[in-house]
Amino acid sequence: MKSFTYNALPARVIFGIDTLPSIAQEIKTLGCTKALVLTTPQQIAEGQQVLKLIGAELAAGIYTEATMHTPTDVTEKAVAFAQELNADCVVAIGGGSTTGLGKAIALRTGLKQIVVPTTYAGSEATPIIGETAGSVKKTQKTMKVLPNVILYDVKLTLTLPLRLTLTSGVNAVAHAVEALYTSDSNPIIDGLALQGITALVRALPQIMHSPLDSDALLSARSDALFGAWACGTCLGAVGMSLHHKICHTLGGTFNLPHADTHTVMLPHVMAYNGPYAKEAMEKIASALKAAGLVADSAAGGIWDMVKSLNGPTSLRELGMREEDLDKAAAIASQHPYPNPGPLDRDLLARLLLNAWNGTRPE
Ligand code: NAD
């Protein structure tokens, strides 16, 4: 066993089917009495469901303008609204964008947070926040943004569109993959990472192929959401590497969609890092095999799964311009995150070109 340092993060996690009605009790247990509910414009109905469950006794109001990459102008309006209502906590129901708004409010006000995740992004389990001002996205790690309670209700993921199910699931897998080869890896997080990868890689094809309203679908959704929690916990606990650096660059500077970008890039970065992270890749390949996915390499296995489920495989189809690849390589090689493979600008440019073309990585 190699030496390691492990910092456990405090977390209260409620996981199950039909858990949402316990939201009122969770607000009271936090010692709060006035919750501001947060959603995107697309999930107002879910926010209203929360308002109904907590009643006038615990509801301060609802703010429905959460949006991707946590723009600071949206946050400032939400903070002013929370203060006007005298809210003492936020309930963020939705994906990473809504969780991000809750974290941004907590960062500025110290309000407590309950997160009800409805995608597999994993932000709910991390002390990380990325915020955008103008076109610049800045990420920081601070315990001020770690949510107090995560309430997972599998039923809320039944409406997640299939494409986002796949891409958000691969976004989660990416956290676990990088946790396995990070410089600060540890055996607890390694175990969670492999559990998360196995659960998601097994569940995603089942979800895509299950008839709606079947027990099989609920069971697969349950496995996927568990996988998302396991992978999100990896993201919160250890440092990430080249894959996350490239995805932050492509999302922050070139405005590519978050989960799609992770889905296209992951197999390419795995192939790039593979020779320098052989043990991690062998473990990932075993996890894929345990989930029923057999391939010549871990990277090839992820690419095959995405391709077979009609997910995005090229940066070109996400709207990235070929002439911007060099600029992306230059940004991704500046202030790099520690990475097993070399961070040479020309090598990164070739990696990005492969991802832009959508060729299957070896
Ligand atoms: P998202 O939150 O932007 O959701 C995409 C869309 O799907 C939204 O319109 C949302 O309302 C809708 N949606 C979500 N769940 C749904 C459901 N169950 N049914 C129907 N519609 C649903 O997407 P995301 O990929 O979850 O989050 C991306 C954002 O999260 C990015 O800004 C990213 O930077 C951030 N993120 C942060 C961290 C972190 O640790 N700080 C981790 C992962 C992602």
Side-chain angles (χ1 to χ4, degrees), residues 54-123:
I54 65 179
E57 184 201 349
L58 293 172
I62 181 166
Y63 185 82
T64 60
E65 298 302 320
T67 188
M68 202 171 284
H69 303 309
T70 326
T72 48
D73 55 337
V74 173
T75 299
E76 277 151 22
K77 282 184 205 148
V79 166
F81 190 52
Q83 286 167 341
E84 192 185 311
L85 296 170
N86 278 323
D88 58 7
C89 67
V90 294
V91 173
I93 180 164
S97 297
T98 310
T99 306
L101 176 60
K103 287 177 162 183
I105 295 171
L107 183 66
R108 289 160 178 78
T109 61
L111 291 190
K112 291 181 177 163
Q113 307 169 63
I114 301 178
V115 180
V116 185
T118 64
T119 70
Y120 306 135
S123 176

Side-chain angles (χ1 to χ4, degrees), residues 39-43 46 67-70 94-100 103 118-130 137 139 156-161 164 168 171 175 235 248 258-259 262:
T39 71
T40 61
Q42 293 76 31
Q43 286 184 290
E46 286 87 334
T67 188
M68 202 171 284
H69 303 309
T70 326
S97 297
T98 310
T99 306
K103 287 177 162 183
T118 64
T119 70
Y120 306 135
S123 176
E124 65 276 7
T126 82
I128 302 167
I129 178 165
K137 187 165 182 175
T139 300
L156 292 167
T157 62
L158 290 174
T159 52
L160 190 61
L164 186 54
S168 187
N171 179 194
H175 308 328
L235 174 66
H248 289 165
H258 179 81
H262 274 269

